[in-house]
Amino acid sequence: MKRGTTSERAIYGRVYRVLHWGMAFLVISALALMEFKGFLPKGKLKHELVYLHMQAGLLVFSLFWIRLCWRMMRPVPPITPQPSPMQKKAATLMHAVLYLMMALIPALGVLALQSKGKAVDFLGFHLPVLLDEDKWLPYALPIRNFHELAGDLLIGLILFHAAAAMLHHLYWRDDALKRMLPGFEHDMKEHQ
Amino acid sequence: MKGKATAVFLAISSLAALNAQAYDGSRYEANADIKMDRAKAIALKAYPGTIVEESLEKRHGRLHYAFDIRAHHVTHEVQVDASSGKVLQNSRETEEDDD
């Protein structure tokens, strides 16, 4: 594929962009709710924030599988001008870790609750119990701590991801960020 | 410039690492006379079981540890004063306490 002129450039499809920004909103909301919760004493408000955190996390987990399928089925629009092989490898690694985190962190959250005998609801439905409290109770706190540590790591990865997008846009002046933004459909060919 | 970009990435990663906390409220730990291990031992003596949640909370300017301890399918919330080590609360967890 020839690259370089505006008309030859490609953009992510609308579905993928909606998934990307929608999930970004949910992930950031889930993380912000947890950070805010840390400043509150136990009580109704804290309980409701935790409930919202769980719902946002489980929505991310559900959408993750749709996004993964979509990503595997559709070609990723290339960046123009082409980044170095090193940058490509770094980006692939970063995306793989972000994808892993989007599935792992909500799953750990569910397991942390179930291992201490708590039922987990998602949009009003009870999730099936995967861990038996009698067997897994001693692991409830370690699983919870791992869930929280992974959440902290995800905050760093998101900052890193956003900083990389800005570097692409402002310093390397390629279209890595534009591929994911609305409003460029007229300049760039949409990858549906 | 690549060096600068790497420095920016490292700075952001360091900020993220600083954000990581061992448990809720661990930022108050330096101000607590009683440390987490001692507070855990006091709480488990008050209600023997498995700690499933632990935090250090500040309320009305005073620090206390809050533990959820589960035994025989019942969770108790046990609070330990972070200055004196006194057990402030040892009661069955309500739905609102559950987080």
Side-chain angles (χ1 to χ4, degrees), chain A residues 78-123:
Chain A
I79 295 173
T80 309
Q82 209 174 56
S84 70
M86 185 70 167
Q87 281 178 319
K88 280 186 184 172
K89 276 183 195 163
T92 304
L93 180 65
M94 170 59 81
H95 287 126
V97 176
L98 279 170
Y99 270 65
L100 178 69
M101 289 290 176
M102 285 190 288
L104 182 70
I105 294 175
L108 283 171
V110 170
L111 297 179
L113 287 171
Q114 291 188 343
S115 60
K116 63 175 184 177
K118 303 287 179 192
V120 182
D121 284 358
F122 178 46
L123 304 177

Side-chain angles (χ1 to χ4, degrees), chain A residues 3 9 21-22 25 39 60 108 118 137 142 150 158 160 162 165 187:
Chain A
R3 294 192 194 103
R9 294 180 181 180
W21 292 110
F25 173 75
F39 292 94
V60 168
L108 283 171
K118 303 287 179 192
L137 185 60
I158 290 169
F160 200 90
D187 312 344

Side-chain angles (χ1 to χ4, degrees), chain B residues 1 9 14 21 23 45 50 72-73 80 86:
Chain B
M1 186 64 191
F9 281 177
S14 306
Q21 291 183 37
Y23 52 87
K45 197 173 171 189
T50 304
H72 311 296
H73 302 271
V80 177
K86 190 180 163 193

Side-chain angles (χ1 to χ4, degrees), chain A residues 34-35 37-44 46-47 50 84 87 113 115-118 133-134 137-141 144-145 148-149 151-153 155-157 159-160 163-164 167 171-172, chain B residues 1-2 5 8-10 12-13 15-16 19-25 27-28 40 50-55 57-59 66-68 70-71 73-75 77 93 95-99:
Chain A
M34 275 301 94
E35 290 297 312
K37 180 210 91 165
F39 292 94
L40 296 175
K42 286 198 170 192
K44 194 176 177 186
K46 191 169 189 174
H47 179 68
V50 173
S84 70
Q87 281 178 319
L113 287 171
S115 60
K116 63 175 184 177
K118 303 287 179 192
E133 179 195 346
D134 292 331
L137 185 60
Y139 303 101
L141 188 57
R144 181 192 165 96
N145 288 343
E148 291 185 354
L149 186 69
D152 286 329
L153 179 63
I155 292 173
L157 290 171
L159 289 172
F160 200 90
L167 269 178
Y171 177 65
W172 292 309
Chain B
M1 186 64 191
K2 278 189 179 172
V8 170
F9 281 177
L10 286 176
I12 289 167
S13 305
L15 276 176
N19 180 61
Q21 291 183 37
Y23 52 87
D24 270 3
R27 62 188 172 279
Y28 299 131
K40 272 186 190 176
T50 304
I51 293 176
V52 293
E53 200 180 316
E54 58 194 19
S55 61
E57 298 179 357
K58 193 173 195 175
R59 196 177 292 182
F67 298 100
D68 285 354
R70 194 156 172 92
H73 302 271
V74 173
T75 304
E77 181 175 357
E93 188 186 60
E95 195 184 330
E96 280 189 4
D97 289 333
D98 173 22
D99 61 9

